[in-house]
Amino acid sequence: MSTASQFFNNVEKYIPKLGVLRLKDLIKQIRACKTAADERAVIAKESAFIRTSFREENNETRHINVAKLLYIHMLGYPAHFGQMECLKLVASPRFADKRLGYLGIMLLLDENQEVLTLVTNCLKNDMNNSNMYIVGLALCTLGNISSQEMARDLSLEVEKLLGSSNTYIRKKAGLCALRIIKKVPDLMEDFLTRAKNLLNERNHGVLLTGLTLLTEMCTMSPEVTTDLRKSVPTLVRHLKNLVTAGFSPEHDVSGITDPFLQVKILRLMRILGKGDAEASDAMNDVLAQVATNTEASKNVGNAILYETVLTIMDIESESSLRVLGINILGRFLANRDNNIRYVALTTLTKTSQSAASADSSALQRHRSTILDCLRDPDISIRRRALDLSFFLINSQNIRILTRELLSFLEIAEGDVKNSVAVRICEFAGRYRPNKRWEVDTVCRVLRVAGAYVDQSVVNHFVKLITTSPSDLQQYAVRKMYNIVKNEGERALTQEGLLQAMVWCVGEYGDVLVDSNATSGIGADEEESADPTQGEYQIAPSETEVVTMFTELLRGPYATVLVKEYAVTAMVKLTGRFTGETTIGQLKALIAKYQVNIDTELQQRAVEYGQILNLDRETRVALLERMPVLESAVKEEAKKGSGAPIATATDATPTKATAGDILGGLNDDLMGLSVGGSTTAAGGGSDIYNMVFGGAGAGAGGAAAAAKSDNIMDLLGGIGLGSSAAPASAPSAAKPTNDLLGDLFGGGAVTSPSVSTPSKPTAMVDPLADLLGGFGGSTSASTPAPAATSRSYTCYDKNGFKITLTPTREAAAEGVSLNVSALLANNGASGPVSNVAFQVAVPKTQSIVWLQPLTSTTIAPGGTATQVMRIDNPKKAPVRLRLKVLYSIGGQQVDEIVEFSQFDSSLWA
């Protein structure tokens, strides 16, 4: 080494004579440049000089020129012309030349360049060099730029060096082996035995490298994890020695012995103990020792405690140890450092998703601290605390936590109000103490966030009221009416509140104005002390209701959607109210919208105008109350039990769901598709043609009879004839009696006849027909037998394959397909992570997720599943739009795939 330094000292003396600019002189010139143009001029001049020197094969200045070229490369300028010169430096016998040459190779080359194949022989020779530092250079280079071919060619040399007697070489070889198994997983078995031997090392650097290598192997192969569980006692011994060791100047960091090694051991123990009771039992004592003896006053200790808690929560640990882990996170919440608090909240949220009852009770001890975080100035802390707060809810604290969450809802940012409102409504139903309390809670949600909630919250309230007893229905409609009336502008700005109020008044207007009827329900304990509750139960007169509708429609706060609901409510009130004056006022209000600029509103007003020309008895029968939705009854049976409630609205994408992401499918919220073309497979609900016997009522009867899926579409599904039969039905059609056709003299509406009249008839969706179940009988074809299960490949790239297996099931209307998606990592190099699989269907169909994705990370050879149900009421061809997202080899893949290959027997 002294000879090499003496040589370069001698060269330095002659450099000025050779006209070569030294590296430090180049740096000075570049720093002295005042503009970018000056800098480019200096770089261009020096690059030209370096090219000339390379062509002249000047060995004396090659080292200096390559050094300057690497500096130019670091500044972002082209330096590819120096690649071959780096190879020549690597071939030099001098260490200094090799060091600079290998550095240049790592900077100027990557694994995809053909020039790299010329380095393989140099690497192989240097790995057998007697100088350990030269061996280290070769291993370091291979570990940084190795391609699959180089990994296969040099794996034997690396495996041999893993057994070297030199600790420096063993450490470098372990890091190089990590790169090799990532590039070529098939070579993992060659390194497994050597890697396990590294666990017996006393040198902390080699042991740290061995743990990193084994952790990667366990992540890639479950078989290695099973085999390595035999080494758990060795890991426990190492960790215990680190915890109990005295002061060691060589490894001490802020009073803790080698925290980096402790963290690596804890991470490997977490993988080995997951799902294995025996291995977890061997870890319990040392984990408790680490958790109690580690000082938490500095970040070094907090890092170790954090990894300890993650390990405790992932393995099959004792309940007392899990409580200790939650208490450590609780101490983190009291820390002033926002980063530590954020980590604690995120970890508690992940833990709570699959927490046992003992963990939940331990988490409740920190409830006040978590709720305080809802008022933290840092928005990231507030968001994480909000997610965690919902996991705290149970039947004992539902009232307290709901009050806190409603208070947060009032001050929350607009972009989160909807998600918070949806979750509050969900948990209010899941843990409600009584139904009156749930009604009051949803009302308050609509009062404070009605301008931000989506349709699902309004639908939730509608189903809640329809399944309530009559006295609670009266309580709810009076409360909603008086909230809007008494609170004025504050209530009028909440669109969701207006929608719910208008629907309630239209549906239960008779009990709203009935002053003789009084609510028989008792006051909720939270409301009994409120003296203003009586103001919200005052019964208005029919004239007052009409006046409020008039002012609402005239004011600036009634959106087109609210006007549509209001017009529908007013036509229903003509069957609820008895005063001729008020009914005439309602008719006049509806008639104003028959010339409205909005075609949807105009169409409804015209159709309702024809209905209002009927005699009162027929009109009252036609506009009777909406029957209770069957799915709402099923949800009602689950409420109050603490079990998750699957809502029917999950099938319809809302904001930021797959329907929006995959191109706006299912966006016909009102269900009428006005102005769009209709087909037999997917036409909109043209109520006008069904009532007046237009062109769509004859040959296009299938399109005319299509029903709306939205519960607010009060006229959806009013068709009184038969529904469209499957494509296999006979083409001959017989006229059927249509009540509206007879009333208006429009003739009979024809539809395909059904060959099996003995089968029970399918009922019109009661939430789609809010006019009171006046739809008559709807014929249904015989359910087709379940089709034989067959798998369809819808995606196969990068070794990642997705297959769909559909199974047909009978449904009340049309057919339903249960589709199981199998996501398999067949030939990918390494695990597939961050997997997301989203599906959208046309608006004539709907999709419900029955089972979420079982895993977002799929190891080589592993699989994950996801199950969905596709409801196809019109028996139209099933077309899917799939969005596939995953990460593989450090690259993010995001693709959209169209799939329509299902056999027609699944819906015909």
mmCIF file of all heavy atoms in Angstrom, residues 100-117:
data_model
loop_
_atom_site.group_PDB
_atom_site.id
_atom_site.type_symbol
_atom_site.label_atom_id
_atom_site.label_comp_id
_atom_site.label_asym_id
_atom_site.label_seq_id
_atom_site.Cartn_x
_atom_site.Cartn_y
_atom_site.Cartn_z
ATOM 1 N N LEU A 100 -11.190 2.459 -7.734
ATOM 2 C CA LEU A 100 -11.829 3.467 -8.559
ATOM 3 C C LEU A 100 -12.571 2.821 -9.735
ATOM 4 O O LEU A 100 -13.664 3.268 -10.122
ATOM 5 C CB LEU A 100 -10.791 4.461 -9.078
ATOM 6 C CG LEU A 100 -11.348 5.659 -9.853
ATOM 7 C CD1 LEU A 100 -12.268 6.485 -8.969
ATOM 8 C CD2 LEU A 100 -10.220 6.524 -10.394
ATOM 9 N N GLY A 101 -11.992 1.761 -10.303
ATOM 10 C CA GLY A 101 -12.643 1.089 -11.428
ATOM 11 C C GLY A 101 -13.967 0.460 -11.030
ATOM 12 O O GLY A 101 -14.979 0.587 -11.737
ATOM 13 N N TYR A 102 -13.982 -0.244 -9.887
ATOM 14 C CA TYR A 102 -15.233 -0.852 -9.426
ATOM 15 C C TYR A 102 -16.269 0.214 -9.061
ATOM 16 O O TYR A 102 -17.475 0.034 -9.293
ATOM 17 C CB TYR A 102 -14.962 -1.762 -8.227
ATOM 18 C CG TYR A 102 -14.447 -3.127 -8.623
ATOM 19 C CD1 TYR A 102 -13.288 -3.658 -8.062
ATOM 20 C CD2 TYR A 102 -15.137 -3.899 -9.553
ATOM 21 C CE1 TYR A 102 -12.819 -4.911 -8.421
ATOM 22 C CE2 TYR A 102 -14.662 -5.155 -9.923
ATOM 23 C CZ TYR A 102 -13.524 -5.655 -9.355
ATOM 24 O OH TYR A 102 -13.064 -6.900 -9.718
ATOM 25 N N LEU A 103 -15.798 1.327 -8.508
ATOM 26 C CA LEU A 103 -16.726 2.419 -8.206
ATOM 27 C C LEU A 103 -17.353 2.953 -9.491
ATOM 28 O O LEU A 103 -18.567 3.208 -9.555
ATOM 29 C CB LEU A 103 -15.998 3.538 -7.461
ATOM 30 C CG LEU A 103 -16.828 4.788 -7.141
ATOM 31 C CD1 LEU A 103 -18.013 4.446 -6.250
ATOM 32 C CD2 LEU A 103 -15.955 5.866 -6.496
ATOM 33 N N GLY A 104 -16.526 3.118 -10.513
ATOM 34 C CA GLY A 104 -17.048 3.581 -11.793
ATOM 35 C C GLY A 104 -18.028 2.604 -12.410
ATOM 36 O O GLY A 104 -19.047 3.002 -12.999
ATOM 37 N N ILE A 105 -17.755 1.299 -12.290
ATOM 38 C CA ILE A 105 -18.672 0.285 -12.823
ATOM 39 C C ILE A 105 -20.022 0.356 -12.122
ATOM 40 O O ILE A 105 -21.087 0.286 -12.752
ATOM 41 C CB ILE A 105 -18.043 -1.115 -12.678
ATOM 42 C CG1 ILE A 105 -16.890 -1.280 -13.675
ATOM 43 C CG2 ILE A 105 -19.074 -2.213 -12.888
ATOM 44 C CD1 ILE A 105 -16.107 -2.554 -13.514
ATOM 45 N N MET A 106 -19.993 0.516 -10.800
ATOM 46 C CA MET A 106 -21.255 0.572 -10.055
ATOM 47 C C MET A 106 -22.063 1.824 -10.387
ATOM 48 O O MET A 106 -23.293 1.822 -10.321
ATOM 49 C CB MET A 106 -20.981 0.495 -8.549
ATOM 50 C CG MET A 106 -20.551 -0.888 -8.075
ATOM 51 S SD MET A 106 -20.374 -1.014 -6.290
ATOM 52 C CE MET A 106 -18.766 -0.260 -6.056
ATOM 53 N N LEU A 107 -21.369 2.919 -10.769
ATOM 54 C CA LEU A 107 -22.071 4.161 -11.067
ATOM 55 C C LEU A 107 -22.501 4.250 -12.532
ATOM 56 O O LEU A 107 -23.584 4.755 -12.835
ATOM 57 C CB LEU A 107 -21.180 5.362 -10.728
ATOM 58 C CG LEU A 107 -20.914 5.625 -9.245
ATOM 59 C CD1 LEU A 107 -19.943 6.792 -9.081
ATOM 60 C CD2 LEU A 107 -22.205 5.917 -8.505
ATOM 61 N N LEU A 108 -21.659 3.785 -13.438
ATOM 62 C CA LEU A 108 -21.908 3.993 -14.872
ATOM 63 C C LEU A 108 -22.605 2.824 -15.547
ATOM 64 O O LEU A 108 -23.103 2.974 -16.656
ATOM 65 C CB LEU A 108 -20.588 4.275 -15.597
ATOM 66 C CG LEU A 108 -19.778 5.484 -15.094
ATOM 67 C CD1 LEU A 108 -18.509 5.645 -15.913
ATOM 68 C CD2 LEU A 108 -20.614 6.749 -15.136
ATOM 69 N N LEU A 109 -22.637 1.647 -14.908
ATOM 70 C CA LEU A 109 -23.257 0.469 -15.508
ATOM 71 C C LEU A 109 -24.434 0.005 -14.667
ATOM 72 O O LEU A 109 -24.513 0.287 -13.464
ATOM 73 C CB LEU A 109 -22.248 -0.674 -15.634
ATOM 74 C CG LEU A 109 -21.016 -0.425 -16.523
ATOM 75 C CD1 LEU A 109 -20.121 -1.648 -16.502
ATOM 76 C CD2 LEU A 109 -21.432 -0.106 -17.942
ATOM 77 N N ASP A 110 -25.353 -0.713 -15.302
ATOM 78 C CA ASP A 110 -26.412 -1.406 -14.572
ATOM 79 C C ASP A 110 -26.542 -2.810 -15.141
ATOM 80 O O ASP A 110 -25.872 -3.165 -16.117
ATOM 81 C CB ASP A 110 -27.745 -0.652 -14.653
ATOM 82 C CG ASP A 110 -28.224 -0.455 -16.079
ATOM 83 O OD1 ASP A 110 -28.266 -1.449 -16.834
ATOM 84 O OD2 ASP A 110 -28.547 0.686 -16.444
ATOM 85 N N GLU A 111 -27.408 -3.605 -14.543
ATOM 86 C CA GLU A 111 -27.463 -5.023 -14.876
ATOM 87 C C GLU A 111 -27.971 -5.299 -16.284
ATOM 88 O O GLU A 111 -27.860 -6.417 -16.780
ATOM 89 C CB GLU A 111 -28.369 -5.749 -13.883
ATOM 90 C CG GLU A 111 -29.794 -5.215 -13.863
ATOM 91 C CD GLU A 111 -30.675 -5.954 -12.872
ATOM 92 O OE1 GLU A 111 -31.133 -7.040 -13.258
ATOM 93 O OE2 GLU A 111 -30.860 -5.464 -11.760
ATOM 94 N N ASN A 112 -28.551 -4.302 -16.959
ATOM 95 C CA ASN A 112 -29.126 -4.521 -18.282
ATOM 96 C C ASN A 112 -28.159 -4.239 -19.425
ATOM 97 O O ASN A 112 -28.514 -4.431 -20.583
ATOM 98 C CB ASN A 112 -30.375 -3.643 -18.446
ATOM 99 C CG ASN A 112 -31.443 -3.965 -17.426
ATOM 100 O OD1 ASN A 112 -31.692 -5.131 -17.139
ATOM 101 N ND2 ASN A 112 -32.068 -2.943 -16.864
ATOM 102 N N GLN A 113 -26.948 -3.778 -19.143
ATOM 103 C CA GLN A 113 -26.006 -3.421 -20.202
ATOM 104 C C GLN A 113 -25.103 -4.612 -20.533
ATOM 105 O O GLN A 113 -24.644 -5.339 -19.639
ATOM 106 C CB GLN A 113 -25.170 -2.215 -19.782
ATOM 107 C CG GLN A 113 -26.012 -0.945 -19.588
ATOM 108 C CD GLN A 113 -25.158 0.278 -19.377
ATOM 109 O OE1 GLN A 113 -23.949 0.213 -19.544
ATOM 110 N NE2 GLN A 113 -25.789 1.374 -19.008
ATOM 111 N N GLU A 114 -24.854 -4.770 -21.825
ATOM 112 C CA GLU A 114 -24.058 -5.909 -22.282
ATOM 113 C C GLU A 114 -22.603 -5.803 -21.851
ATOM 114 O O GLU A 114 -21.918 -6.821 -21.724
ATOM 115 C CB GLU A 114 -24.141 -6.022 -23.810
ATOM 116 C CG GLU A 114 -25.543 -6.301 -24.328
ATOM 117 C CD GLU A 114 -25.579 -6.415 -25.836
ATOM 118 O OE1 GLU A 114 -24.504 -6.271 -26.453
ATOM 119 O OE2 GLU A 114 -26.663 -6.661 -26.391
ATOM 120 N N VAL A 115 -22.130 -4.574 -21.638
ATOM 121 C CA VAL A 115 -20.727 -4.403 -21.231
ATOM 122 C C VAL A 115 -20.444 -5.131 -19.929
ATOM 123 O O VAL A 115 -19.314 -5.536 -19.645
ATOM 124 C CB VAL A 115 -20.408 -2.894 -21.091
ATOM 125 C CG1 VAL A 115 -18.948 -2.667 -20.701
ATOM 126 C CG2 VAL A 115 -20.722 -2.175 -22.398
ATOM 127 N N LEU A 116 -21.507 -5.346 -19.136
ATOM 128 C CA LEU A 116 -21.319 -5.950 -17.821
ATOM 129 C C LEU A 116 -20.795 -7.378 -17.912
ATOM 130 O O LEU A 116 -20.147 -7.866 -16.969
ATOM 131 C CB LEU A 116 -22.657 -5.923 -17.069
ATOM 132 C CG LEU A 116 -22.599 -6.089 -15.550
ATOM 133 C CD1 LEU A 116 -21.802 -4.979 -14.918
ATOM 134 C CD2 LEU A 116 -24.003 -6.121 -14.976
ATOM 135 N N THR A 117 -21.063 -8.057 -19.023
ATOM 136 C CA THR A 117 -20.579 -9.435 -19.142
ATOM 137 C C THR A 117 -19.056 -9.506 -19.141
ATOM 138 O O THR A 117 -18.477 -10.540 -18.791
ATOM 139 C CB THR A 117 -21.116 -10.065 -20.437
ATOM 140 O OG1 THR A 117 -20.713 -9.249 -21.555
ATOM 141 C CG2 THR A 117 -22.640 -10.134 -20.401
#
